[in-house]
Every structure is written in structure tokens, then in C-alpha cells.
Amino acid sequence: MWRVLAAAPARALLRAPPARRAASLAVSPAAGPADERVETRVAGLSPGQPVTLRAVAADDRGCLFQSCAHYRADSRGELHLSTDASHGGDYTGVEPMGLFWSLAPAGMEKPYQRLVPRSTGAPMKVEVLVHEGHSPPGAMPGPVVAKAEVQRLFTAPGVRRIRLKEGVVRGSLFLPPGDGPFPGVIDMYGDEGGLIEFRSSLLATRGFAALSLPYFDFEDLPRVMKELKLEYFEEAARFLQRHPKVKGPGVGVIGTGKGAELALSMITFLPEVVAAVSVSGCSSNTIADLHYGEMTLPGLRFDMNKVSVSDTGVFDIFEALDDPANPANSPCVIPIEKAEGHFLLVVGEDDRMWKSSLYAELAIRRLRQHGKENFELLSYPGAGHRIDPPSTPFCQVAMDRVLGVPVLGGGESKAHAHAQEHSWGKIQEFLHLHLG
């Protein structure tokens, strides 16, 4: 009898299922340029096991951002985000970088904030976690079975950042490693003001000498954008053109929003500028009068009576800007037909900040009326206003620095993310083509 009893536990042990392997998560490269894709793989799960993948990051002020997506392991207990689809969470479908571009303020944080680096010297650290089961956004996730940290670099090793105080010009010059010379590009953003460097540092990582150029609310520059003098931008263009690390003979400029409109004015009036990238820009001068010598381009105005406010307090300013096609506003039109260089117009067809698609049409019509074909148009269905480098988190509504209220920028997250990735490659191709 004792032999039978002793054998029973042994038989039970033989029938026991094999112990599950520990789950593992690999994200590669673990540290790489912020505009490049990463490969995300999970192994050691049970076949068909439901899991939630989360990404968590903090900005320079400590504000927490997070995203999540629902997956199921394949028959081998593995996941590969480049080929496997998310079935829920913050996005669906095969989106290798979905966890990054869907990062949004966590529930305990103030809404409508952007996750963009204020300093490009330190990497942005993103923690990726694998949780058991499917948990909806904002809910308490299941136990963590694997995790990894990813560092997103905005400045490649060897890139030099030089703070600029050259005459009246302020900003930061980013130089790629090596002797050069490199194609030179001036980089500007919109009416949020200040110094925004992350696109410039990424351009330097891609081989451009990039000057991040503020034009108000920085150091001793004017605090508010009341009026602008093109001589300031001319001095910046001449500085970059004459820099020993810059290839020449001409330089390029890229701008978003108000910065895009300034890019159009620069290539129109300044012979040093031979290529202009306008991202969500207007073909007329807006807000602040622009002076150049004896010439003045008045600025189109915003009519706040045409602003609508949603029940949640979000401002929609889509109809507020004066109509640039109205003959009464013709003095504000930038005479881009005078430009000898080349234009790249980048617009999101769901831009709700203003009618950038229409403004691009007006610009193209004006060029063609003067026999010009020196332009390319990238128009993206479903994309909103601020089309940044790849994987920059989508932000449909953002706090406006000037108004101090949340303003609708438009767009749908997946379409906007795809527009950012596609346009970034095309922007670099355009600049290399026309700057050498």
C-alpha cells in the first residue's frame, strides 16, 4: 500500500503543466534618435494571452504622460508591434510607434498639454510596460509582467549646440559632427514665442546646420509680437549663410504657423533664402505688421466674435482670421511670385487652427498666375495643425500661450501621426535637393 501512496505524488508531478516562461520585453534601439522608429517585441507569454502595453513618460516639468494599447500574443506567445495589431486602447491597428504618438497627459495632470522637450541635451525617457489582461485607458492596469526603458535622443552624439548672440539675433545653432560644410536651415515656430529647439536639433542629427530662431518672448527680444522687422530675419539669414560650416550659396528656412508665414516672407524678399518649408502657414501676413525698409505688410486680424466655445471650454478659432481672399485684405498678401527659390507647402486637411489648406491653394494659384511652378504641396487628410517630426505625441487640443485657453488644433491621431512621419522624410529630401 505504501508503494501506491508514494507513487501517487510522482504521477501527479508528471501530469503537471510545464512552468510558464517569464515574459520579456525588448525595445530596440534602447537609445536612439527621437525621429526614428523602434522595434518592440514581447516573448514568453501564453498563446493568445491578452495583454495591455503601456508607455509612460514625464516632461521637463515632471508632468506625467501615458498611453496604452490592447494586444493578444500569437501562437508562440509572442508579440511584434511592427506586424501585430492593437485591438483597443488609445489606438487600433498595426502601429509600431502608436504607444509614442498617442502619449497624453495622465488623468491626474492638467489636460491639453504638449509633450515636447524644452531642453534637447537630455534624452526623453519612456518606460514601456506589459500588463496582464486588457485594461481601458485611465483604468488601473493589471500586474506588470515585463518592462523596459527607452531613451529618445534629440541630439546625436557629436552635434554641437551654440547659443547665439550675434548682433540683434538670438537663438541656438546646431552643427552636425564633422568638418562640413553642411546645408544651412533656419527653423521657426509660431505665436507661442520663445526658443523651441527640438526640430533644429533633429535636423542637425540629420546633417543640417540648423539655426533655431526665436523672434519674440526670449531674452532681450520683444515680449509680445506687436510688430516685426524683416531685417532681424535678414541678419539671421546672412549670419547662417556666411558661417564657415554652412555650404551655401543660399540657406533654407522651415516654419510652422506664424513661423511658416515668416518663411514665405523671407524667401520672397531675402536673396539669401533659396528654399522655404511652410508647415500649416498662411499666404498672407497675419497678426503683426511686417516691416522691411519702407515697405509694410499689414497683418490680418482675428475677429474674436467669430470664435466659438464648446461645452467643455475648448475654443474653436477656425473662422476667426480675416479672409485673405477678400480684395480689401490684398495689402496683407505676401508677393511670393517674386521669390526665385522653391517652396514646400505642408498642410493638414483637418487643421482647425486656421484654413491652411485654403491658404496653400491661394499660394499655388498666385504662383501659377505668374507662370511659376517652383512649389510642391504635401496635403494630408485627417492631419491637424502642428505637423512635427515623427512620433511627436498628437495633441488635438492644446493650451494657447497667448489666449491662455485650450484651442482646437484639429486632426485625428493616427492620420496625424502618419502625416508627421511621411512629411519629415519629404522635408529633408526637399532641403537637400535645393541646398545641396
Side-chain angles (χ1 to χ4, degrees):
M1 177 64 70
W2 66 271
R3 290 178 179 172
V4 175
L5 292 174
R11 286 196 297 269
L13 188 61
L14 290 173
R15 290 195 304 268
R20 182 192 298 177
R21 290 183 298 155
S24 63
L25 169 65
V27 185
S28 60
D35 59 349
E36 281 189 2
R37 285 188 176 190
V38 296
E39 294 284 330
T40 304
R41 296 176 181 268
V42 185
L45 302 173
S46 299
Q49 181 179 346
V51 291
T52 297
L53 267 67
R54 290 176 64 234
V56 180
D59 67 9
D60 306 78
R61 297 163 296 179
C63 176
L64 193 67
F65 292 75
Q66 60 184 11
S67 61
C68 75
H70 300 161
Y71 290 90
R72 285 190 180 274
D74 63 17
S75 59
R76 297 170 297 176
E78 297 180 356
L79 282 174
H80 186 193
L81 267 59
S82 291
T83 54
D84 293 326
S86 165
H87 305 292
D90 291 318
Y91 62 91
T92 59
V94 179
E95 296 293 334
M97 297 301 295
L99 288 171
F100 293 83
W101 53 250
S102 62
L103 283 163
M108 76 288 288
E109 302 289 358
K110 292 181 180 178
Y112 313 135
Q113 300 185 73
R114 294 186 185 277
L115 179 56
V116 291
R118 293 173 180 265
S119 170
T120 60
M124 180 181 293
K125 296 179 180 179
V126 182
E127 188 174 36
V128 182
L129 306 101
V130 183
H131 297 266
E132 289 184 0
H134 287 164
S135 52
M140 182 69 70
V144 175
V145 297
K147 62 181 179 179
E149 185 181 86
V150 185
Q151 294 189 7
R152 307 288 282 165
L153 307 176
F154 290 89
T155 304
V159 169
R160 293 172 57 206
R161 173 181 177 268
I162 303 167
R163 283 297 297 274
L164 184 63
K165 284 192 174 183
E166 186 74 18
V168 298
V169 178
R170 302 292 178 264
S172 295
L173 176 63
F174 292 86
L175 295 174
D179 296 331
F182 309 102
V185 181
I186 294 172
D187 178 28
M188 299 178 295
Y189 272 90
D191 60 7
E192 62 265 58
L195 178 65
I196 302 175
E197 299 177 313
F198 75 100
R199 185 166 60 190
S200 300
S201 62
L202 287 174
L203 283 169
T205 296
R206 299 299 168 201
F208 296 92
L211 171 58
S212 181
L213 185 67
Y215 47 96
F216 75 102
D217 195 25
F218 180 72
E219 293 185 347
D220 55 354
L221 296 176
R223 293 294 299 170
V224 296
M225 188 173 55
K226 185 175 292 187
E227 60 179 7
L228 296 169
K229 294 184 178 181
L230 197 62
E231 283 84 356
Y232 173 80
F233 304 91
E234 182 177 48
E235 188 169 333
R238 288 177 175 174
F239 164 80
L240 190 61
Q241 181 194 38
R242 295 168 181 169
H243 195 281
K245 292 278 190 178
V246 173
K247 185 178 294 186
V251 298
V253 58
I254 178 173
T256 296
K258 177 65 182 178
E261 164 200 318
L262 287 165
L264 297 183
S265 293
M266 290 172 71
I267 194 173
T268 296
F269 296 109
L270 307 181
E272 296 85 0
V273 179
V274 299
V277 180
S278 166
V279 181
S280 304
C282 184
S283 50
S284 292
N285 186 53
T286 68
I287 309 172
D289 293 352
L290 179 67
H291 305 282
Y292 186 45
E294 299 298 316
M295 180 211 73
T296 296
L297 287 181
L300 293 176
R301 305 302 180 188
F302 279 94
D303 183 353
M304 298 307 292
N305 293 320
K306 295 181 179 179
V307 174
S308 62
V309 185
S310 72
D311 293 340
T312 56
V314 174
F315 282 57
D316 186 342
I317 64 173
F318 185 66
E319 298 287 350
L321 186 67
D322 289 345
D323 182 6
N326 185 333
N329 294 322
S330 59
C332 304
V333 175
I334 303 168
I336 56 175
E337 71 278 1
K338 295 182 179 181
E340 296 298 327
H342 291 80
F343 300 90
L344 177 62
L345 308 174
V346 183
V347 296
E349 294 177 16
D350 194 31
D351 184 351
R352 294 294 302 179
M353 188 72 70
W354 60 13
K355 303 175 183 180
S356 56
S357 289
L358 171 63
Y359 304 153
E361 290 177 14
L362 294 175
I364 290 170
R365 188 183 310 163
R366 187 176 184 94
L367 289 170
R368 284 181 167 160
Q369 285 174 347
H370 290 83
K372 296 286 188 92
E373 293 290 335
N374 55 339
F375 65 87
E376 297 176 49
L377 172 65
L378 298 177
S379 185
Y380 296 101
H385 179 71
R386 188 161 154 166
I387 300 174
D388 277 325
S391 301
T392 301
F394 172 69
C395 192
Q396 187 181 58
V397 177
M399 290 297 296
D400 185 89
R401 176 196 162 277
V402 177
L403 299 176
V405 297
V407 174
L408 180 63
E412 182 275 321
S413 58
K414 186 184 295 189
H416 191 90
H418 293 175
Q420 291 191 146
E421 184 163 9
H422 182 266
S423 64
W424 185 239
K426 290 296 184 181
I427 287 169
Q428 293 176 64
E429 290 177 11
F430 171 83
L431 292 172
H432 276 301
L433 175 64
H434 298 294
L435 300 179

